[in-house]
Amino acid sequence: MALPAATARAAALCRIAACASASSAAAAATGGRRGAEKLPFSLAERGMVVGGHRGMGMNAVGAPPGARIEAVRERENTLLSFGRAAAHAAVAFVEFDVQVTKDGCPIIFHDDFILTQETDAVYAKRVTDLLLEEFLSYGPQKNSHEISKPLLRRTSDGRVVNWSAKDDDSLCTLQEVFERVSPRLGFNIELKFDDDIFYERSQLDRALQAVLQYASNRPVFFSTFHPDAARIMRELQSLYPVLFLTEGGTAQHKDSRRNSLDEAIRVCLEYELHGLVSEVRGVLKNPSAVLRAKESNLALLTYGQLNNVWEAVYIQYLMGVNGVIVDLVEEISNAVADFSKPVLNQSMLGSGVDLVGAKHQAFSQQQLGFLLRLIPELIQQPH
């Protein structure tokens, strides 16, 4: 008896769930010490790499009209968004969020809950409680004859609004992303977990198995806000670098390991991780952490709204930050490409700072003065 079309598609896009039993053995075979892997990008040689946040940038649902982040056209975390990011040569990787459905399939989705509307009521369903077939039924569908469930999103002020994009696309699985996005584009796979839920080790196994099966020669690294998930992924394999995500002291958590850059560096060293990805304000408030990371042989990347301001990215370039994750992908990747040119237009900063021969190993007094004036202003501005 033939499977319904939607069910057949779900089965085809989740071969991982059907063969998960081999995961632990395959992963354990790759175990090892930090240093066995190379970071996925030649960070030292390239100076600074640019990664697209959820592809071409996150969807700022509910943002005020005219907000810069509203310029993102593509639905985040979709094949369309990843494909367009891959078309920009200056973009080294895309960052995206991986969760595992109830039937064991790694999928790409940021929020812990999917919101939808039935009649006049709004319902929220935890993503990890959904079967793959139901997950794929939300939002735009690949086949026009398939019924689409409305996809809503909650804004930062608590409103629930329709979640649409100027250039829309359907939800997707991790397997699809590996199979259909240009292999030259690196993947930063964020292992997504809800703080209030206990997760089984097998969920990390499922995500890892998909990578082992489909990554081939693609540059890949893992990241997560959860120290124990980072530790376990590090223990499971040594093929792919594992980085620790931190808010860098800009927010506080019950787990003290998540509350500062110093703690993040300590976690990396204790668990033999390869680096950290910090909220950019944490780095700008604590620039000495860049030196400590380098002295510890750790890669340092940043994320956050300030990374959509090229002046803030340039400051990080001078500080020696290895990479930035951004929403305004085309604008910032072009700016970073200009940073590495031997001679930069002095009018870029409009402050009299001499940028000729910009590949410095240390700050000039003029540059240092500029940084000291600009950093507090950037940190305080809403973006």
Side-chain angles (χ1 to χ4, degrees):
M1 180 172 139
L3 291 171
T7 304
R9 177 188 172 225
L13 297 181
C14 197
R15 292 195 291 270
I16 288 299
C19 54
S21 60
S23 169
S24 295
T30 68
R33 305 284 289 178
R34 184 168 79 91
E37 316 90 323
K38 292 182 179 179
L39 283 171
F41 315 107
S42 301
L43 296 174
E45 297 174 8
R46 295 184 63 165
M48 174 180 273
V49 296
V50 176
H53 187 205
R54 308 181 199 172
M56 285 294 290
M58 73 173 185
N59 298 144
V61 176
R68 295 181 76 236
I69 192 63
E70 197 182 35
V72 175
R73 298 182 57 88
E74 302 82 4
R75 180 180 292 278
E76 67 182 44
N77 281 333
T78 60
L79 291 169
L80 173 67
S81 190
F82 300 144
R84 289 186 179 174
H88 293 278
V91 177
F93 66 94
V94 287
E95 178 273 350
F96 54 78
D97 311 275
V98 169
Q99 303 186 59
V100 178
T101 60
K102 188 175 182 179
D103 48 348
C105 185
I107 51 88
I108 315 297
F109 198 77
H110 174 269
D111 300 355
D112 295 326
F113 291 86
I114 272 188
L115 272 63
T116 193
Q117 188 169 11
E118 299 175 12
T119 61
D120 293 329
V122 173
Y123 294 90
K125 298 184 179 182
R126 188 178 294 279
V127 173
T128 52
D129 288 341
L130 300 176
L131 297 175
L132 176 62
E133 181 178 351
E134 182 177 2
F135 170 76
L136 294 175
S137 71
Y138 292 97
Q141 298 296 296
K142 285 184 168 58
N143 299 317
S144 58
H145 65 273
E146 292 179 355
I147 298 175
S148 170
K149 296 178 182 177
L151 194 54
L152 312 178
R153 202 171 208 181
R154 194 178 303 278
T155 65
S156 58
D157 60 5
R159 293 176 296 123
V160 175
V161 299
N162 182 51
W163 183 5
S164 61
K166 294 175 183 176
D167 296 342
D168 226 334
D169 197 12
S170 57
L171 303 180
C172 60
T173 68
L174 182 57
Q175 178 182 328
E176 280 185 289
V177 171
F178 272 115
E179 291 178 336
R180 297 181 57 185
V181 176
S182 168
R184 80 96 191 153
L185 187 69
F187 286 171
N188 169 16
I189 299 175
E190 180 184 340
L191 302 168
K192 185 80 177 176
F193 298 102
D194 187 325
D195 289 347
D196 299 322
I197 298 294
F198 175 79
Y199 295 89
E200 299 290 341
R201 188 184 183 107
S202 61
Q203 291 180 292
L204 288 172
D205 282 344
R206 296 285 173 84
L208 174 59
Q209 186 183 353
V211 176
L212 293 172
Q213 185 167 350
Y214 298 110
S216 187
N217 295 321
R218 184 190 301 275
V220 171
F221 65 99
F222 294 104
S223 63
T224 180
F225 281 103
H226 293 268
D228 294 319
R231 172 182 55 80
I232 292 170
M233 182 56 77
R234 186 69 188 92
E235 292 170 353
L236 284 173
Q237 56 83 44
S238 63
L239 288 177
Y240 303 105
V242 181
L243 278 65
F244 181 45
L245 271 162
T246 175
E247 289 162 300
T250 62
Q252 293 297 299
H253 300 270
K254 294 178 182 178
D255 188 338
S256 62
R257 295 173 296 178
R258 300 179 61 183
N259 288 341
S260 70
L261 273 175
D262 290 336
E263 278 295 308
I265 291 173
R266 186 188 65 77
V267 165
C268 288
L269 296 176
E270 180 177 349
Y271 298 155
E272 298 187 333
L273 308 181
H274 301 83
L276 58 155
V277 186
S278 174
E279 214 287 344
V280 58
R281 291 173 298 160
V283 171
L284 294 179
K285 288 179 178 179
N286 188 8
S288 62
V290 179
L291 180 59
R292 292 198 298 278
K294 288 185 176 297
E295 289 174 343
S296 302
N297 196 31
L298 297 171
L300 175 60
L301 285 73
T302 65
Y303 71 93
Q305 289 299 302
L306 277 177
N307 280 354
N308 298 314
V309 179
W310 76 262
E311 293 91 339
V313 175
Y314 182 67
I315 289 171
Q316 296 175 75
Y317 174 81
L318 293 176
M319 292 168 69
V321 171
N322 298 121
V324 289
I325 298 171
V326 307
D327 295 296
L328 302 182
V329 171
E330 184 172 10
E331 176 182 331
I332 301 301
S333 62
N334 289 340
V336 171
D338 286 339
F339 296 166
S340 61
K341 292 179 179 178
V343 178
L344 294 177
N345 187 336
Q346 293 189 26
S347 66
M348 285 182 72
L349 289 181
S351 62
V353 177
D354 182 10
L355 299 180
V356 176
K359 284 191 174 181
H360 299 302
Q361 296 300 316
F363 301 127
S364 71
Q365 288 300 312
Q366 261 186 322
Q367 288 168 333
L368 184 58
F370 172 73
L371 298 184
L372 293 175
R373 292 193 304 273
L374 185 58
I375 286 175
E377 179 182 343
L378 287 173
I379 291 174
Q380 292 171 13
Q381 286 179 355
H383 292 280

